[in-house]
Amino acid sequence: MRLIPRALCGAARAAWRESFPLGGHAVARWFPGHMAKGLKKMQSSLKLVDCIIEVHDARIPLSGRNPLFQETLGLKPHLLVLNKMDLADLKERQIVPMVTELIGSSYRYHRGESLEYCIMVIGVPNVGKSSLINSLRRQHLRKGKATRVGGEPGITRAVMSRIQVCERPLMFLLDTPGVLAPRIESVETGLKLALCGTVLDHLVGEETLADYLLYTLNRHELFGYVQHYGLGEACDDIVSVLKRVAVKLGKTQKVKVLTGTGDVNVIQPNYPAAARDFLRTFRSGLLGPVMLDRDTLQSHPSAGAQGHRPAETDP
């Protein structure tokens, strides 16, 4: 990505961009083979399941959910859990009681005589499905983690065996691989998914992501990045921000420049490294809670997941 400076810095002027230029950007298709296999395995396991828990990132409650889940798994009671609340601004609720109530009010078909509950945990990549399972085990069984977790999409690549998370009621969960829709609905949705770590950064471009993040923070008047990096003032020019971040963190690189007298080594800011740090800082919550779907929620205050019961997480 070639960064083009714009003369727009300083909170005093505060003429933040009203829209992000999406022209020329694209989100590469990312639907690896293990996703297709995982979705088929989920379908074949439905007969063993009483309820579906769909985990999604609380920062994008309305963006990027996979419509294939409802189409292929919609026969079972469905609970939408918004995870990573500390990175957004939502209230907490208890999951196990809600699942118990949801199953109790639903027809269980051939599982009606079973005294145990089996729950399938689904979602797009890297929204915290495995972390949710481990958290439930810690709270209700006082046991350590049973599933591997990570900060990149694709850690869980197959439908796992049942994992006990509660004794009363006796409850087991099935961890599943994250599955994206084969086609992401829009470039902006892809940018939001990528900011939340659901799509691999290089499929979008780290500097493009950093620019979209800066646009979002300024538009919502969230200036935590100014204090975090000691920038002195807010700025809407990603080149200027990344340059100051790189200098602040000592992230520079030597570049050879051809001159009339020969090659000269010039020290330049490492823009990709600065962009990676900017993204990491956002994802770790150091810039404060950010709701990426704020504009969508404000324009559609009654928007929500139809046919699902929503919950914000506190295991």
Side-chain angles (χ1 to χ4, degrees):
M1 172 190 174
R2 181 169 175 262
L3 297 175
I4 303 175
R6 290 178 293 103
L8 183 58
C9 285
R13 283 172 279 184
W16 312 122
R17 288 171 284 180
E18 291 298 320
S19 63
F20 188 79
L22 299 175
H25 295 303
V27 179
R29 180 179 175 182
W30 190 52
F31 192 69
H34 77 271
M35 289 190 181
K37 292 178 182 177
L39 190 59
K40 290 181 180 178
K41 181 64 174 177
M42 292 179 212
Q43 288 178 277
S44 66
S45 300
L46 274 181
K47 61 181 179 294
L48 306 174
V49 170
D50 297 301
C51 179
I52 301 289
I53 291 181
E54 180 183 349
V55 183
H56 201 62
D57 197 304
R59 294 168 291 184
I60 49 172
L62 302 180
S63 295
R65 291 178 57 202
N66 190 343
L68 293 180
F69 290 146
Q70 178 65 13
E71 295 172 12
T72 59
L73 308 175
L75 294 175
K76 297 291 182 175
H78 196 124
L79 181 70
L80 173 62
V81 172
L82 298 179
N83 201 15
K84 304 186 180 182
M85 283 185 313
D86 56 323
L87 303 179
D89 51 3
L90 297 171
K91 297 179 180 179
E92 301 180 355
R93 293 180 185 173
Q94 296 283 334
I95 291 177
V96 169
M98 293 189 70
V99 168
T100 304
E101 179 185 347
L102 185 60
I103 295 175
S105 61
S106 304
Y107 186 61
R108 298 183 69 193
Y109 299 96
H110 64 285
R111 290 186 53 82
E113 300 299 321
S114 177
L115 298 179
E116 65 180 41
Y117 296 156
C118 185
I119 318 300
M120 182 181 290
V121 181
I122 65 173
V124 296
N126 202 31
V127 291
K129 297 182 294 296
S130 298
S131 296
L132 174 65
I133 291 174
N134 292 333
S135 178
L136 288 168
R137 280 176 58 83
R138 283 193 300 270
Q139 179 168 351
H140 296 284
L141 295 179
R142 301 293 189 266
K143 292 185 178 180
K145 66 181 182 180
T147 63
R148 184 182 170 203
V149 298
E152 294 184 358
I155 294 297
T156 303
R157 302 180 70 87
V159 178
M160 299 181 64
S161 58
R162 302 193 313 166
I163 302 167
Q164 185 178 353
V165 296
C166 189
E167 188 70 40
R168 295 182 181 178
L170 184 57
M171 186 176 295
F172 295 88
L173 266 61
L174 290 175
D175 196 11
T176 64
V179 179
L180 283 171
R183 293 190 179 278
I184 297 174
E185 58 191 77
S186 69
V187 173
E188 188 158 20
T189 295
L191 290 170
K192 291 178 181 180
L193 286 168
L195 274 183
C196 294
T198 294
V199 176
L200 294 172
D201 289 349
H202 74 268
L203 297 177
V204 180
E206 291 165 336
E207 291 153 34
T208 297
L209 279 177
D211 193 19
Y212 183 72
L213 174 59
L214 180 67
Y215 155 76
T216 301
L217 294 174
N218 287 336
R219 180 174 171 80
H220 296 161
E221 299 183 356
L222 301 172
F223 303 125
Y225 71 93
V226 177
Q227 181 178 1
H228 179 80
Y229 288 111
L231 301 183
E233 62 180 11
C235 180
D236 209 26
D237 177 17
I238 189 59
V239 177
S240 298
V241 170
L242 293 183
K243 181 178 181 178
R244 284 187 275 177
V245 169
V247 172
K248 175 79 173 178
L249 301 177
K251 296 183 180 296
T252 57
Q253 57 187 353
K254 289 184 179 180
V255 178
K256 284 188 177 181
V257 177
L258 181 62
T259 67
T261 58
D263 292 344
V264 176
N265 287 327
V266 177
I267 304 297
Q268 291 186 351
N270 189 331
Y271 290 102
R276 285 192 292 272
D277 192 85
F278 191 31
L279 295 172
R280 179 195 61 78
T281 302
F282 159 72
R283 289 166 179 162
S284 61
L286 295 177
L287 302 183
V290 180
M291 171 60 72
L292 297 175
D293 273 347
R294 179 186 293 185
D295 290 340
T296 305
L297 289 168
Q298 289 177 342
S299 60
H300 300 88
S302 61
Q306 296 182 353
H308 306 284
R309 183 169 181 178
E312 297 80 39
T313 65
D314 175 19

